[in-house]
Structure formats: C-alpha cells, structure tokens
C-alpha cells in the first residue's frame, strides 16, 4: 500500500488539471465529485498507508518517482519521504482537507465559479501534500510556492471586488518576503553542505557545524524568515486577517489544514538545524510568545466573526512556535493536529452562520442563534472549548503540553503562554456569548444541508477526542530531557488549567450575565484607544504602510517620468534631429545635388591628402 | 582573337545580339509578348553559355575583358537578376496602352553594360560598361513618361550621372598620367614598384571613388537616390538598386584588388568616412519616411555603407575573405531588394505607383500572402535571423571584426538599430485594420509571373537564411580563384 504514496499528492493535482481544463464542460453535479472525490481518495489512501505504516516498525520510507533536475553536483529528484512527522501532516491535510471539500460542495453550490473553486482548492491541497512529503528542500520549496499560489488564487477568488484582489496580493507579497529569505537559506545550505536532501542536510550539518557558530545561525534564521511569512507570525502576520476575503471554506483550509501550518512543519522538519543554533531557537520561542499575546489582544477587539478566528489562528500558531522554540517538537505538531480539527470546525461553523444569516459577519448583529442553529451552536461550543483549551477537549492536551514544556524552559515564556490562554478563553467565549446567547435580532434564512452538517459533526468529534490520538513522533524528534523532576509542577499545572477558565468567566460576566458592561468600559478614553489599537492589529498595517508602502509610492511618484526612459527618448530625439538635418539637404534641386557632389569630392580628396 | 576568347565572350555577345534582334523585330512588328520572350530567351541562353564556359582558368579576351570565375559568377547573378526584373516589367507594363517594346531592348543593353563592368580589367571597358548601363537607365527611368516624377527623375539622373562620369574620367586621366597604363594589372605592377605614395594616383583613385560613389549612392553623393527611386517605375527601381549597384561594386572590388589599391591607407580612411556617413545618414533619413520607395532608397544607401565595411576590411584581411563577405551580402541584398520592389511593382500600375505608406495599411487583411512576403523581405533587410539578410550581416560583422574595424562596426550596429524602426514600421502599418472606404482599387490585374518570381525569391531568402552552407561553400570556391 505504501508504494502508492505518490498518488496522494497526484490525485488532487489530477483533479485540478481536469477541473481547470474541462471545468466549463463538466456538469455541475459532477464537479464536486471530482474536486472533493480526488481529495477523498487521497484521504482514503492516506488512511490505508497510515494503518500500514503505524502498525509496522515505522522505518522512514523513501519513494523516488523520477529525476527533476540534474546539473553538475546538484541532483533534485521527485522524491517523497514518509516518517511519523509527514504521516501526521498527511492525515491533517487530506483528512481535514477532505471534510472542507465536502462542506464546500454545498457552501459554494450557487457560485458561478464552482469548478474553478474546486480546481484551486485541489491545487492548494496538492501543493501542500508535496510540501509535507518532499524529501529534499527544492521539492519542498516547489510545494511551498504552490501553496502560495493556491492561497493567492483562493483569497482573490471573488476577484470582481478590487478589495479581494488587494487582499490576495497582500498575502502573496508578504509571504513572498519570507519565501525570499527561505530561498537564500536554501542557497546557503547548498553552497555549504553541497546537498539539499533534507536527511543529508541534517546529518551533514550536525557533523560539519559547531553549534552556535555563524553558519547554522544564519541558515536557521533564514529558514525562520520563511516560516514566519507562511505561518503569519511576527513581523509578517498582517496578511492573514485580510485573507478572510476568500470564501469561508478557503479560510478553513488556509487556517487548519494547509498554508499556515507550513512554517511550523518547516521548522519541525529542519529541527536539527535549529538545535545547532540555540539563539535562533530562542528567537522562535520569543516570536511565538509575543505573537500569541498580540494576536490574542487583537482578537478581543474584533467584531467580524471571521477576523476573530483569524487572529485566534495567529495566536495558536504562536503557541506552536513557542513549543518549537523550547524544543517541545512533538507538542508543537500535536497542537498543530488538534488545532487543525477545532479551527476547521470553527471556521466551517462560522461559514454556516454567515451563509444562513444574510452573509452577516458582525457578531453584534447576530445574537441568540443558540436555538435556531443548534448544529452551529454546538460546533462553536465544542470548537471554542477546544480553542480555549478547556479540560478534556483536544486543545487542552496539546496546549497543556506546550505550556509545561515552556515552563521548563523559561517561566517568563510560560507566563506569556498562560496569559495568552486566559485571553483565548476570553475572546473565544466572547464570540460564543455574543453571537449565540441573548436575544435574536433577526430570523435565519435557511438551515445547512447534510453536506455541511456531516463534516461539522465529524470535526466536533475530532475536536473533542483528537487529544486521544497519539502519533508516535519520538522516532523523529529528540525526547525532551528532565520531565519529572519538578516539585511545583502541580501548581504550575493548576494555573495552566485555570487560566482559560478565568478568561471564560470574565467573558461570561461581561457578555452573558451582563454583570459588567462593555459599554462602560469603552467609555474610558484609554480603553477605547487601546481597543482601537488592538482592532487595527497593533497598527502593523499602518506601520508597514509608513515604512514601506509610502516611501515606495513617493519614489515611484518622483520617478514618474522614468529617468531610464529619458535615455531612450534622448536617443529618439537625437535621431529625429539628425533626420531633420539630413532631410533638409534633400531639396530636390539638381544644381544643389551637383554642387554637393563637387563639394564632397573636394572634401574627400582633401581628407585623402591630409591623412 | 582566338576561338577560346570568342567563346569566353559568348554571354556578352548573346545579350548584345538579343538586343539587336529585338530592335529588328520591333521594326517589323510590335508585339510585347514576342519581344519579352526573345529577351528572356536571350538571357537564358547567356546563362547556359555561362554554365558552358565555366572553368578555373581565366581567359583574357582582348585587353579590355577578363573572363574568370569571379566575372562569370557575377555575370550569372546579374543575368538572373535581369531575368527577374524582365518578369516584373512584363507584368507591370502588359496592361499599358503605349509602346512598351523598347523597354526590353534597353533592359538588355543595360544588362550588357553591367556584364561588361563585372568582366572589365581595363579603364576603357570600365567606362564603356558604365556608360552603357547609365544611358540605358536614363531612358528606362523616364519610360513611364506620362508620370511627372518619372521624367524629372530621368533628367536628374542624366545630369548627375554626367557629373559623376566626369569625375571618373578625370580620375582615370590622372592615373594614366602617372602610370602610363590603363589596365588594372598594369597599374598594380606600377604601384608595386613605387616607394612613396603618389599624389596624382591618390587623387585619381579618390575621384574614381567619388564617381563610383554616385552610382552606389554613397554619402555625400547620395542626394539623387530617393528622387530617382521614387520617379522610376518600380521594376526599374529594382534594377537600379540591384544590377547597377552590384555590378559597380563588383568592379570596384576587382579594381582595388588587381590594382593594389588596398595598400593605400588614405583611400581606406576616405572610404571609412564615406561608409560611416552612408550608414548613419541612410538610416536616419529613412526614419520618418512615408513613401515606401523613398524609404527603400534611403535604406539602400545604408546597405551600401554596410557592404563598404566589408570592402574596407580588405586593407587588413585576405582579399578572398572580402570577396566572400561582399558577394554573400550582395546576393542577399539582391534577393531582398528585388523582392521588396517586386511587391511594390505588383501593387503598382504604370499610372499609379503604390509607394505611399497609407497604401499598405491593412495589406495583411487584403492580401495576406503578399504582405507576408513583403514582411519577410523587410526583416531580411533589417538583418533578423532565419532570413538571408542575417547571414549577410553576420558576414559583414565577421570580416569587420577580423580586421578590427571597431568604429565601423559600431556604426553598423547603430544603423541596424535605427533600421529596425522603419522596417518594422511598415510591417506594423500592414497589420493595422483598414477602413472599408480605402477600397479604391478596381479590377486587380492578374500578375502571375511577378507572383511566381516573388515566391521563388522568398524561398531563396529562407533557404539561404536557414541553410547558408551550400551558398557559402560555393562563394568560397569562387573567392579562392581570384588570387
């Protein structure tokens, strides 16, 4: 079964090709069968391969499908590499991806670009699968860029609105900053280690480089640049909230199964490099901690249901980075897994709310949906609980693991993580209380069909029980040392568990029972300003606008008449001047012609004599 | 004169004889088709004769004419060109009501002059050939006498040609005064024994260059070119641009090599200045030109400048190499020029020349094949790869680079850049959409012969552009015999 690994990314790609080439001729009912079906078969294959892989001794499996390029001492094969890490990613991408596809079949049904939508979605999934399966960094980069392309196409899916195009370009350009850094990192690795095969890079780096020296630090830092771009971490996070411009299933796919997890995967995949550069690894942790707090605060101030979820994603990826930074590799991947479940659940449930509620995004205009939309309500309850990390949900296990690991590394990071957990509880249940409790403002239009409900139910189960899944990542990552010799572990554990509850409690006091009034709080000037600051995502957009966009526009304006162009217009002017000069000699008069001949003859004789 | 010499003169005599026969036929009965048939037969017979007498050993037929492989090759080239022009003339003039038969006579005498030029090894035959060519051309240019331009052009050419002949004669006289001989080899022998440069000979040669420069329309003797090109009937313009220039150039090259003029560095300086000026002025003048015939006239000035670069390279590299480059370039230039003027003559009538650019607007939609042929000719003139023009220009570059003539090559590069602009401008105009109001052409005349000639030329253009090997090898074998 494992030999069929190549089909896993190939099938969605074939789906993409069929839909892109023949999409207009296919009948509408057939389209989702190809779009979702190809991913479904991939998911089935993954399940079979996974069963075989997990039952065995799990030796890493390599599959080379052919050579991509061979130049001198560089050879890049189409090679796949399957170990516990890529297996986990495969489950997430194909499994969650498939559920989102099924959901989309109904969600996008009335859209004229139905086939185009599935084509892009398939491309996106296929690229992500190549990314996680690649056995060398060049193929990984191919998938990496494919994901970037897919996200661009999908965020700008409704391209008639210029704002959507803007959001798509923003996502593409900002991640491109990170991609460039990553590409330079790859060049560095190749020039220094003469290989781009991930396993060889790991081995060579460990044997050739001394930890903490400039080469591993530079390499790890450059890869980190790529990772923060794709995973929307500080300082390249501001594209993600705008990426909400795409259809809701796209957001679910970007946030849960693909795209943003790519950065986490990259760092996990090249963890050996990061371990050789402890300073960079520490920066990873700091980036994660700061991002999770910043994004959490921003989520608090949002009113758009999708933007709240977007900021929560940035924040949760921050947790993963924190875990990677403190060396809790498996915890990071575990959180990636559970996050995929509950974030997909939340987004899809948000999609149901939006679709059935007049395409309304503002949570303050909803209210009381608890009764009219039981499926969405329970999905949100479960998803939010998992997001906040309330006990016995999947999020609890993964986040708990991260925070404990953080504490072992540095209490400061742990504090940040706990604070973040508190804020998470606060904003996630603020959303639930505002949108689903209280009085209903207007009636809903329709109820979701089975194709939307079934994925929600499945994801509910996964979000609840996903914590039980234990993919043995010990074969890939080094085990954390010193796990049990801490005495105050119970106290730490208790605080860790309690933090989200405090958040939920505060949210309840403000938005459920009305004990405290948010309006009174907002009447304070500094709170209002703080809220505005958080709302704008800590002013990052304005900051980039001032730092990059405005100077660029100024330069462009100054150079409106293109200085280089003036060279060419100068040439043209010169040519025309001489053209007129010579033309003026062309009088048509024979006497002038004859005398010019005589004159010319005299001159050339003179030249002949003188030279 | 022995029998070998007589046989060697066969092509020249056949052409001369055909001219006389046609004159007699006209005296008896005017028949345009018959007259053309005889002319074509004459040319074909001459070609056959060339094939027959083709041999390595040169034959000196009298003191004036030297029939060697070089002369025979150019004879064949000129005869083929004459054949194409005769075909174009036939289609151009066949609907004309006036008397057209003398045209064939004049065409043959002009061709005769050109044949004498390329075989000439003596100043006397040089001058006779040149005058025979020129005098025939005066009449040919003014043949469509009802068009005002035509007459004006003929008069201009007559007067200015006279001036240039005067220069040439005076130059010959100066050289004779110093050397005492008139044949090229004799002059070469005399100059070889001279230690110092002789002012009389130098002035003489420069005067000859001035006179020849007029025929080749090199700056500063180029002013007549656009007026005459515009005034002459399109097929005759093709004849002037190719046969007249090619023959004169072949003669100049033979004279320079035989008479040892390459060792005079002042001559090369003068020629270099003329070449650079011709390239720049020709291309610059063509830039905004809206009359296609004038545009091609200016471009021909530039093209003669390009060939001159290869010619000048003879001062530093082996003559065989120069002959190779010049010959190849002239062949490609002949093909493209006849092709371009052929398209014009196909679209023109003796009453109305299709020379305004607006006439070509939307030609791609009206006559796609013709427009395609014209485009190919133009991009070959521009020297774009896959056409013969590119290989020709490559030869110019190769010989210029061999001789380290960097300044001249720079001029060639600038000129080619400018050239692209106006050649492509015509192509752009041809592909523009056309307003239906412009359909003023009535019943189009069927011009099958001209069309066939154009098709053959296009095939040759592509063949020499894609597989220049055969032609190159052939030219190399000719150049090798000139030593």
């Amino acid at each position: 079964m494992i030999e069929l690994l190549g089909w896993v990314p190939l099938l969605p790609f074939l789906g993409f090709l069929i839909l892109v080439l023949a999409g207009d001729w296919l009948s509408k009912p057939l389209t989702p069968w190809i779009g979702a079906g190809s991913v479904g078969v991939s998911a089935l294959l993954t399940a079979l391969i996974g069963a075989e892989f997990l039952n065995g001794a799990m030796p890493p499996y390599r599959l080379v499908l052919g050579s991509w390029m061979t130049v001198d001492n560089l050879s890049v094969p189409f090679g796949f590499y399957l170990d516990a890490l890529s297996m986990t990613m495969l489950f997430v991408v194909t499994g969650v991806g498939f559920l989102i596809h099924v959901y989309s079949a109904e969600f996008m049904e009335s859209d004229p670009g139905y086939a185009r939508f599935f084509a892009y979605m398939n491309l996106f999934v296929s690229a992500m699968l190549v990314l996680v399966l690649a056995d060398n960094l060049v193929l990984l980069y191919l998938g990496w860029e494919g994901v970037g392309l897919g996200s661009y196409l999908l965020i700008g899916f409704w391209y008639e609105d210029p704002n959507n195009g803007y959001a798509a370009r923003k996502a593409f350009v900002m991640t491109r900053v990170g991609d460039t850094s990553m590409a330079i990192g790859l060049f560095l690795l190749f020039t220094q280690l003469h290989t781009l095969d991930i396993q060889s890079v790991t081995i060579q780096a460990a044997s050739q480089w001394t930890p903490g020296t400039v080469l591993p630090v530079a390499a790890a830092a450059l890869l980190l640049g790529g990772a923060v771009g794709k995973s929307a971490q500080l300082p390249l996070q501001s594209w993600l909230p705008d990426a909400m411009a795409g259809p809701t299933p796209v957001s679910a796919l970007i946030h849960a199964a693909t795209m943003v997890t790519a950065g986490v995967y990259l760092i996990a995949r090249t963890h050996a490099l990061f371990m050789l550069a402890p300073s960079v690894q520490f920066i990873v942790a700091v980036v994660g901690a700061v991002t999770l707090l910043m994004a959490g605060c921003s989520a608090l101030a949002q009113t758009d249901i999708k933007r709240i979820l977007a900021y929560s994603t940035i924040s949760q990826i921050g947790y993963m980075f924190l875990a990677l930074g403190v060396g809790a590799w498996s915890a990071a991947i575990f959180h990636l897994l559970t996050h995929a479940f509950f974030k997909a659940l939340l987004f899809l449930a948000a999609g149901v709310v939006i679709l059935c509620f007049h395409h309304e995004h503002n949570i303050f205009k909803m209210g009381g949906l608890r009764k009219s939309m039981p499926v969405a309500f329970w999905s949100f309850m479960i998803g939010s609980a998992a997001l906040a990390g309330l006990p016995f949900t999947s999020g609890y296990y993964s986040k708990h693991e991260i925070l404990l690991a953080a504490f072992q590394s540095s209490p400061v990071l742990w504090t940040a993580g706990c604070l973040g957990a508190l804020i998470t509880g606060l904003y996630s249940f603020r959303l639930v209380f505002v949108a689903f409790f209280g009085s209903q403002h207007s009636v809903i239009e329709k109820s979701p069909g089975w194709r939307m409900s079934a994925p929600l139910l499945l994801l509910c189960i996964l979000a609840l029980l996903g914590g039980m899944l234990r993919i043995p990542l010990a074969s890939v990552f080094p085990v954390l040392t010193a796990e049990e010799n801490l005495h105050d572990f119970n106290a730490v554990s208790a605080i860790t568990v309690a933090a989200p509850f405090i958040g939920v409690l505060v949210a309840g006091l403000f938005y459920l029972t009305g004990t405290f009034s948010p309006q009174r709080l907002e009447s304070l000037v500094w709170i209002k300003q703080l809220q505005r600051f958080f709302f704008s995502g800590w002013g990052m957009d304005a900051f980039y606008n001032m730092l990059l966009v405005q100077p660029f526009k100024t330069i462009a304006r100054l150079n409106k008449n293109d200085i280089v162009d003036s060279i060419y217009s100068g040439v043209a002017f010169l040519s025309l001047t001489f053209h007129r000069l010579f033309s003026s000699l062309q009088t048509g008069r024979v006497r002038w012609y004859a005398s010019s001949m005589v004159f010319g003859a005299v001159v050339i004789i003179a030249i002949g004599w003188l030279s | 004169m022995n029998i070998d010499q007589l046989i060697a003169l066969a092509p020249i005599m056949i052409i001369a004889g055909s001219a006389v026969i046609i004159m007699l036929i006209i005296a008896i009965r005017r028949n345009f088709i018959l007259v053309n048939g005889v002319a074509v037969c004459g040319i074909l017979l001459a070609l056959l004769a060339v094939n027959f007498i083709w041999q390595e050993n040169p034959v000196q037929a009298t003191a004036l004419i030297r029939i060697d492989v070089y002369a025979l090759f150019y004879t064949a080239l000129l005869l083929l060109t004459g054949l194409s022009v005769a075909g174009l003339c036939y289609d151009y003039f066949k609907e004309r009501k006036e008397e057209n038969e003398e045209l064939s006579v004049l065409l043959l005498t002009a061709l005769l002059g050109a044949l004498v030029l390329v075989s000439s090894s003596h100043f006397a035959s040089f001058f006779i050939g040149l005058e025979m060519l020129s005098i025939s051309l005066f009449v040919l240019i003014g043949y469509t006498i009802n068009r005002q331009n035509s007459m004006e052009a003929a008069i201009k050419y007559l007067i200015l040609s006279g001036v240039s002949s005067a220069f040439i004669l005076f130059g010959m006289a100066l050289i004779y005064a110093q050397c005492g001989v008139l044949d090229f080899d004799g002059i070469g022998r005399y100059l070889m024994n001279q230690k110092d440069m002789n002012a009389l000979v130098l002035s003489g040669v420069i005067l000859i260059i001035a006179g020849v420069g007029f025929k080749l329309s090199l700056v500063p003797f180029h002013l007549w070119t656009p007026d005459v090109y515009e005034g002459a009937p399109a097929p005759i313009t093709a004849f002037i641009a190719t046969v007249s220039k090619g023959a004169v150039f072949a003669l100049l090259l033979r004279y320079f090599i035989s008479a040892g003029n390459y060792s005079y560095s002042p001559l090369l300086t003068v020629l270099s200045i003329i070449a650079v000026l011709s390239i720049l002025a020709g291309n610059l003048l063509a830039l905004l030109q809206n009359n296609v015939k004038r545009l091609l006239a200016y471009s021909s000035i530039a093209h003669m400048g390009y060939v001159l670069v290869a010619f000048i390279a003879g001062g530093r590299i082996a003559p065989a190499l120069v002959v190779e480059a010049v010959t190849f370039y002239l062949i490609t230039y002949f093909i493209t020029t006849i092709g371009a003027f052929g398209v014009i003559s196909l679209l023109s009538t003796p009453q109305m020349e299709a020379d305004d650019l607006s006439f070509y607007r939307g030609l791609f939609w009206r006559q796609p094949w013709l427009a395609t042929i014209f485009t190919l000719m133009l991009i070959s003139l521009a020297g774009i790869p896959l056409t013969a023009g590119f290989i020709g220009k490559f030869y110019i570059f190769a010989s210029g680079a061999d001789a380290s003539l960097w300044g001249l090559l720079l001029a060639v590069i600038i000129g080619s850049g400018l050239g692209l602009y106006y050649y492509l401008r015509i192509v752009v105009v041809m592909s523009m959409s056309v307003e239906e109001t412009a359909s003023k052409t009535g019943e189009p005349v069927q011009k099958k012969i001209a069309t066939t000639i154009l098709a053959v030329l296009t095939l040759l253009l592509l063949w020499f552009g894609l597989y220049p090997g055969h032609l190159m090898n052939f030219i190399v074998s000719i150049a090798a015999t000139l030593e």
Side-chain angles (χ1 to χ4, degrees):
Chain A
M1 211 66 211
I2 205 160
E3 307 78 45
L4 296 175
L5 183 64
W7 286 100
V8 174
L10 201 59
L11 279 169
F13 189 72
L14 286 177
F16 159 72
L17 284 182
I18 294 171
L19 287 170
V20 129
L21 295 174
D24 290 342
W25 293 284
L26 290 176
S27 68
K28 196 150 188 175
L30 195 61
T31 306
W33 283 103
I34 293 171
S38 61
V39 180
V41 176
S42 269
L44 192 68
L45 258 178
T46 306
L48 293 171
I49 291 171
E52 187 179 322
F53 186 74
L54 293 176
N55 275 338
M58 290 195 299
Y61 174 74
R62 255 175 200 275
L63 178 73
V64 177
L65 293 176
S67 173
W68 182 7
M69 47 182 132
T70 310
V71 182
D72 198 20
N73 62 345
L74 167 74
S75 91
V76 180
F78 281 110
F80 294 143
Y81 182 84
L82 188 70
D83 62 359
L85 174 58
S86 34
M87 197 68 238
T88 314
M89 293 301 291
L90 277 192
F91 277 130
V92 173
V93 178
T94 57
V96 177
F98 173 60
L99 292 179
I100 296 171
H101 272 74
V102 172
Y103 175 93
S104 311
E106 183 178 333
F107 189 88
M108 297 298 290
E109 206 159 25
S110 54
D111 196 282
Y114 200 45
R116 185 165 61 94
F117 180 79
F118 275 106
Y120 293 167
M121 292 281 274
N122 280 2
L123 177 68
F124 200 24
V125 168
S126 170
M128 190 67 192
L129 288 170
V130 169
L131 195 161
V132 299
L133 278 174
D135 77 338
N136 61 73
L137 286 167
V138 184
L139 194 61
L140 185 146
Y141 194 73
L142 176 75
W144 189 269
E145 292 298 315
V147 167
L149 171 67
S151 70
Y152 169 77
L153 293 171
L154 284 167
I155 294 169
F157 181 74
W158 287 318
Y159 57 86
E160 288 92 346
D161 184 352
N163 285 331
N164 295 345
Y166 174 77
R169 281 198 301 280
K170 185 174 177 182
F172 195 69
V173 172
M174 287 200 74
T175 52
R176 182 47 41 96
V177 175
D179 295 354
T180 311
S181 154
M182 178 175 163
I184 297 170
L186 298 195
F187 300 151
L188 178 74
L189 286 175
F190 183 69
T191 48
Q192 294 300 321
L193 302 175
H194 309 294
T195 177
L196 282 169
D197 185 87
I198 295 170
Q199 302 310 315
S200 318
V201 164
T202 310
I203 295 162
Q204 300 256 8
S207 63
Q208 290 185 17
W209 288 346
T210 2
T213 49
V214 66
L215 279 175
V217 168
L222 287 165
L223 291 184
L224 173 63
V228 296
K230 237 6 157 217
S231 289
Q233 295 295 291
L234 197 71
L236 296 174
Q237 84 284 38
S238 63
W239 63 269
L240 194 59
D242 287 337
M244 292 303 114
T248 308
V250 173
S251 308
L253 199 55
I254 289 179
H255 288 252
T258 61
M259 188 84 177
V260 292
T261 55
V264 179
Y265 171 77
L266 177 70
I267 295 180
R269 180 48 90 198
T270 56
H271 63 91
L273 283 176
F274 283 84
M275 288 169 80
L276 288 173
S279 52
V280 179
Q281 206 189 344
F282 181 68
I283 291 172
V284 175
V286 173
V287 164
V290 175
T291 313
L292 76 88
L293 283 175
M294 279 176 70
C297 290
S298 295
L300 270 180
Q302 304 300 319
T303 56
D304 182 324
I305 188 167
K306 281 174 79 180
R307 285 183 87 89
I308 297 174
L309 294 177
Y311 278 110
S312 85
T313 302
I314 301 178
S315 174
Q316 294 307 304
I317 305 278
Y319 275 106
M320 296 176 209
F321 268 61
L322 176 62
L324 294 170
V326 299
W329 313 106
S330 5
I333 298 301
F334 189 36
H335 194 55
L336 191 157
L337 180 72
T338 57
H339 173 255
F341 297 146
F342 62 72
K343 190 48 63 67
L345 173 63
L346 283 170
F347 262 114
L348 297 186
V352 171
V353 172
I354 291 167
L355 191 70
C356 301
F357 201 73
H358 322 291
H359 290 276
E360 180 57 61
H361 284 214
N362 190 336
I363 52 169
F364 287 99
K365 295 198 176 152
M366 297 170 181
L369 299 177
R370 181 164 42 112
K371 299 220 177 59
S372 49
M373 285 187 190
V375 176
F377 170 65
W378 284 108
S379 301
F380 252 100
M381 279 304 281
I382 293 166
S384 299
L387 172 62
L390 299 184
F392 311 116
T393 61
S394 60
Y396 166 76
Y397 296 104
S398 53
K399 198 178 280 183
H400 198 69
E401 216 172 288
I402 291 174
L403 288 174
L404 290 186
F407 185 80
Q408 285 169 34
S409 175
S410 146
V412 179
L413 293 173
W414 172 77
T415 314
C418 279
L419 197 58
L422 190 153
I423 296 171
T424 311
L426 182 54
Y427 70 69
S428 51
F429 277 90
R430 166 177 171 264
L431 165 62
V432 173
F433 293 151
V434 170
F436 290 94
F437 290 85
S439 56
Q440 190 164 353
H441 298 307
S442 63
V443 287
I444 59 158
E445 280 174 341
K446 55 179 173 183
S447 301
W450 70 268
R451 282 174 300 178
M452 281 164 80
S453 307
L456 285 179
L457 289 176
L458 271 172
L459 284 169
C460 277
I461 296 166
L462 284 170
L464 273 177
L465 305 178
M468 312 293 177
L469 291 174
R470 283 281 154 177
I471 292 184
L473 290 163
S475 60
V476 183
F477 300 120
V479 186
L480 268 184
T481 51
E483 191 134 354
E484 64 284 330
N485 52 1
L486 277 164
H487 286 297
D488 47 358
F489 226 61
N490 288 329
V492 171
S493 266
I495 296 171
T496 313
V497 175
F501 278 111
I502 299 168
V504 177
L505 188 67
V506 174
L509 289 176
F510 267 105
Y511 298 101
L512 188 62
T513 63
T515 315
F516 301 124
S517 160
Q519 280 77 26
R520 263 180 56 201
L521 198 62
E522 280 172 20
S523 61
L524 290 172
V525 175
W526 67 274
I527 288 281
K528 187 82 189 160
Q529 278 171 343
L530 196 65
Q531 192 203 17
R532 215 174 279 147
F533 180 62
F534 286 162
F535 183 79
S536 67
W538 294 59
M540 287 302 275
D541 278 334
F543 175 67
Y544 282 133
N545 196 30
M546 199 177 70
L547 187 74
L548 299 170
V549 178
Q550 289 307 333
F552 184 79
K553 278 186 172 172
T554 311
I555 293 169
R557 206 169 31 245
L558 286 177
N559 196 21
K560 202 174 176 181
N561 297 325
D562 200 350
I563 291 162
V564 179
D565 224 29
S566 63
I567 297 172
Y568 300 107
S569 41
V571 169
F573 176 76
L574 209 66
S575 305
L576 285 182
T577 312
F578 278 106
H579 168 75
R580 296 212 179 86
L581 179 74
F582 283 114
S583 296
S584 66
L585 299 177
Q586 216 68 46
T587 56
R589 291 174 191 278
V590 180
R591 58 192 141 174
W592 159 244
Y593 286 5
S595 49
S596 82
M597 280 172 71
V598 176
F599 181 70
V602 171
V603 169
I604 61 171
I605 289 174
I607 291 170
W609 278 2
L610 293 176
S611 62
Chain B
M1 188 182 280
N2 59 30
I3 190 77
D4 280 349
Q5 291 170 331
L6 210 59
I7 291 173
L9 288 176
I12 294 176
M13 293 197 298
I14 291 170
I15 295 296
S18 320
V20 174
I21 291 170
I22 292 171
M23 244 186 295
L24 291 174
I25 293 175
I26 293 170
I28 299 163
R29 185 160 183 274
R30 285 189 173 273
N31 185 325
F32 191 53
I33 295 174
L34 175 67
V35 160
N36 270 288
V38 174
V40 167
C41 284
I43 294 174
L44 287 175
L45 250 155
L47 271 172
L48 209 64
V50 169
N51 186 44
F52 186 65
I53 58 177
W54 188 279
Q55 56 166 357
E56 297 286 307
N57 298 327
V59 177
Q60 186 74 41
T62 77
L64 302 183
I65 302 286
R66 182 186 173 86
I67 304 289
D68 53 8
V69 176
Y70 178 79
L72 285 174
F73 176 77
Y74 272 98
T75 303
L77 183 62
L78 294 173
L79 287 171
L80 285 171
T81 313
L83 198 65
S84 322
V85 172
L88 293 178
C89 278
Y90 175 76
D91 271 350
Y92 183 90
F93 285 100
K94 67 180 176 190
E95 297 291 314
R96 190 169 176 259
K97 298 287 178 286
E98 285 96 323
E99 292 157 341
N100 303 319
E101 287 74 17
E102 283 80 1
L103 191 87
S104 299
V105 183
L106 293 163
L107 212 55
L108 286 178
T109 50
L111 204 52
L112 180 62
L115 296 190
V116 171
L117 270 179
V118 296
S119 323
S120 148
S121 64
H122 196 277
F123 274 148
S125 51
F126 175 0
F127 193 71
I128 292 169
L130 199 62
E131 286 307 292
M132 208 187 304
L133 177 61
S134 301
I135 292 167
S136 312
L137 281 179
F138 303 151
V139 190
L140 284 173
I141 292 167
Y143 207 88
T144 46
I145 198 158
N146 298 333
R147 270 179 47 244
Q148 194 204 334
N149 282 349
S150 189
M151 199 61 211
E152 183 189 324
I155 300 289
K156 275 183 184 165
Y157 193 68
L158 170 72
I159 296 171
L160 298 173
S161 188
V163 176
S164 83
S165 297
F167 280 140
I168 292 173
L169 269 183
F170 190 45
M172 286 174 180
L174 288 179
I175 293 170
Y176 181 68
Q178 188 62 37
C179 309
V181 284
L182 279 173
D183 64 310
F184 300 166
D185 289 341
I187 296 166
R189 275 194 299 278
Y190 172 82
L191 290 180
M192 220 189 303
N193 299 327
Q194 293 299 106
K195 290 280 185 300
D196 296 326
M197 202 186 324
N198 191 298
L200 271 185
V201 174
L202 181 67
S203 310
V205 178
I206 291 178
L207 280 171
I208 291 177
I209 289 175
V212 166
F214 166 83
K215 299 284 177 198
L216 297 176
S217 59
L218 293 166
V219 177
F221 314 103
H222 66 290
L223 292 171
W224 61 276
T225 322
D227 294 352
V228 171
Y229 272 45
E230 189 189 359
I236 303 305
T237 313
F239 192 82
I240 302 171
T242 54
V243 171
S244 152
K245 288 189 178 170
V248 172
F249 211 98
L251 169 88
L252 192 67
L253 187 54
R254 184 201 281 274
Y255 167 71
F256 256 65
I257 292 171
S258 304
N261 282 166
Y262 270 128
S263 47
Y264 274 69
S265 70
L267 290 178
L268 297 178
T269 312
V270 168
L271 285 173
S272 302
I273 291 168
I274 290 176
V276 170
L277 281 177
S278 301
I279 293 169
L280 294 181
N283 282 312
L284 284 167
L285 278 165
L287 276 185
L288 294 184
Q289 192 49 250
N290 278 327
N291 184 311
V292 177
K293 277 168 92 182
R294 289 181 80 90
L295 187 144
L296 288 173
Y298 290 131
S299 104
S300 83
I301 297 174
H303 279 282
M304 284 301 127
Y306 298 149
V307 205
L308 209 53
V309 172
F311 185 90
I312 294 162
R316 308 233 184 116
I317 60 175
L321 234 52
V322 177
V323 172
E324 203 183 318
V326 168
T327 307
F328 198 98
Y329 196 86
L330 285 179
I331 292 172
T332 64
Y333 174 74
F334 272 37
I335 294 172
T336 49
T337 307
I338 297 174
F341 282 109
V343 172
I344 296 175
S345 81
L346 231 163
L347 294 167
S348 307
T349 61
Q351 292 77 35
M352 234 280 292
E353 287 282 316
D355 53 5
D356 198 78
L357 197 56
S358 63
F359 194 90
Y360 293 84
R361 200 183 158 93
L363 192 69
F364 263 115
W365 315 113
R366 278 180 285 145
Q367 282 172 294
W369 284 108
L370 204 59
T372 307
I373 289 174
F374 201 25
T375 303
L376 280 172
M377 297 300 164
L378 290 171
I379 65 173
S380 177
L381 282 171
I384 291 171
L386 301 188
T387 58
F390 168 73
I391 310 286
K393 200 162 267 176
F394 177 78
Y395 256 118
I396 303 280
F397 263 90
S399 52
D402 268 1
S404 313
L405 303 172
W406 306 119
L408 289 173
L409 288 185
L410 184 68
V412 175
I413 291 169
I414 294 173
S416 304
L418 290 168
L420 267 181
Y421 172 78
Y422 57 82
Y423 291 128
L424 293 184
R425 193 165 144 246
I426 303 180
V427 178
V428 169
V429 169
M430 285 197 295
S431 55
M432 279 177 177
S433 63
V434 67
E435 302 97 59
E436 284 308 310
T437 50
S439 58
K440 55 181 176 277
T441 45
E443 186 73 11
V445 183
Q446 286 292 316
K447 296 188 171 177
K448 284 191 181 142
I449 296 176
T451 315
T452 314
I453 290 169
L454 284 180
V456 172
L457 288 173
T458 309
L459 290 179
L460 282 178
L461 179 88
L462 293 173
W463 186 38
F464 293 150
L466 294 170
Y467 305 101
H470 297 97
L471 187 64
M472 276 181 189
N473 292 336
F474 187 50
I475 294 172
V476 168
S477 71
I478 292 155
T481 62
L482 199 72
E483 299 301 300

